[in-house]
């Protein structure tokens, strides 16, 4: 058992931890693909307990309530990412990020436009030109402020970079706003170095009631797959019905 504190700088909504970052903390010491489930709002700036073992990890609050848990998931079929766009195409998609003209979570560690370089990740995924609605991309260069002693980006920061694009994939496809990350299953194949140009992609998978699933991936600028994940988002209100196929 170890004590951890999730600082305010790692928020998603203003009073809760960023889902991808907290999920990444849960899985960072687990081998191979792993699943993290967030069960409650993640409190900030208070002491939490993190219990880890080869079988999994659990974050508990001060009263012992389970906030999140994770386990190795070697049998899970992770989504196969679509071929990544070029750096130039990802940069152009970034300019279409829907959060440029609308306010979602302006101080979110992952996607908040009010966070400066080296303070937040500034992941601004936008629609890829000519692709299906909701297929998003953006560029991302990990900042040295987040690197570990070996110069590599930690797992929890990589998972944070993959977090919000999956949310925006469904926002772009359906035009709705509110959803919370419930479950994320992912793997990190290679951690990028600080200063290494990367491309983040996201695409909607399927919807069942108030559950929407998305795929997300991280590539090098040359197209090497670095990380990928499957996400389950819980819509806060009933989503609109999609038009019937002709």
């Amino acid at each position: 058992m170890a004590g951890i504190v999730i600082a305010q700088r790692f928020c998603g909504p203003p009073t809760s931890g960023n889902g991808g970052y907290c999920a990444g903390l849960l899985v960072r010491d687990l081998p191979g693909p792993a699943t993290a489930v967030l069960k409650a709002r993640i409190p900030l700036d208070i002491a939490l307990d993190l219990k880890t073992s080869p079988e999994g990890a659990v974050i508990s609050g001060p009263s012992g309530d389970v906030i999140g848990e994770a386990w190795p998931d070697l049998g899970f079929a992770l989504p196969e990412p679509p071929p990544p766009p070029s750096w130039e195409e990802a940069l152009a998609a970034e300019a279409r990020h829907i959060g440029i003209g609308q306010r979602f979570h302006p101080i979110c560690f992952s996607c908040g436009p009010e966070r400066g370089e080296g303070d937040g990740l500034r992941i601004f995924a936008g629609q890829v030109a000519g692709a299906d609605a909701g297929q998003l991309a953006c560029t991302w260069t990990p900042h040295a402020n987040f690197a570990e002693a070996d110069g590599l980006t930690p797992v929890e920061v990589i998972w944070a970079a993959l977090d919000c694009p999956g949310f925006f994939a469904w926002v772009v496809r359906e035009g709705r706003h509110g959803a919370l990350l419930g479950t994320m299953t992912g793997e990190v194949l290679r951690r990028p170095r600080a200063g290494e140009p990367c491309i983040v992609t996201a695409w909607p998978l399927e919807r069942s009631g108030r559950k929407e699933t998305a795929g997300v991936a991280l590539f090098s600028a040359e197209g090497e797959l670095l990380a990928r994940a499957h996400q389950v988002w819980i819509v806060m209100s009933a989503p609109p019905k999609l038009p019937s196929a002709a």
Side-chain angles (χ1 to χ4, degrees), residues 37-179:
V37 178
L38 303 176
K39 296 177 172 291
R41 184 184 69 85
I42 304 132
L44 301 170
D45 292 329
I46 67 170
L48 305 172
D49 290 321
L50 174 61
K51 181 180 180 181
T52 60
S53 72
E55 289 73 39
V58 177
I59 291 180
S60 302
S63 62
D65 52 311
V66 174
I67 296 170
E69 58 184 345
W71 55 89
D73 212 335
L74 301 179
F76 190 88
L78 287 166
E80 193 64 34
S86 68
W87 179 265
E88 292 74 20
E89 290 169 331
L91 199 60
E94 189 174 318
R96 303 183 193 100
H97 176 57
I98 196 169
I100 294 174
Q102 302 182 45
R103 287 176 65 86
F104 289 88
H105 295 300
I107 62 170
C108 172
F109 176 63
S110 173
C111 69
E114 295 181 9
R115 303 293 291 268
E117 292 285 350
D119 176 45
L121 302 185
R122 299 178 61 82
I123 303 289
F124 303 142
Q127 176 67 42
V128 175
D132 293 340
Q135 187 170 330
L136 312 185
C138 66
T139 65
W140 177 52
T141 301
H143 198 280
N145 286 0
F146 307 121
E148 297 187 321
D150 57 5
L152 300 179
T153 305
V155 167
E156 60 268 28
V157 172
I158 296 171
W159 275 50
L162 294 175
D163 179 6
C164 296
F167 164 78
F168 282 110
W170 279 100
V171 172
V172 170
R173 179 174 175 178
E174 294 197 333
R176 61 106 185 108
H177 284 205

Side-chain angles (χ1 to χ4, degrees), residues 19-20 23 35-39 71 73 76 78-79 159 162-163 166-167 170 176 178-186 203-216 229-236:
T35 293
V37 178
L38 303 176
K39 296 177 172 291
W71 55 89
D73 212 335
F76 190 88
L78 287 166
W159 275 50
L162 294 175
D163 179 6
F167 164 78
W170 279 100
R176 61 106 185 108
L180 297 173
L181 181 64
T183 304
M184 189 165 170
T185 301
W203 60 101
L205 292 173
E206 62 181 4
R207 187 180 73 206
S208 177
R210 291 176 60 189
K211 290 184 178 180
E212 295 177 338
T213 59
V216 288
H230 173 280
Q231 300 172 329
V232 178
W233 292 89
I234 309 301
V235 179
M236 296 167 65

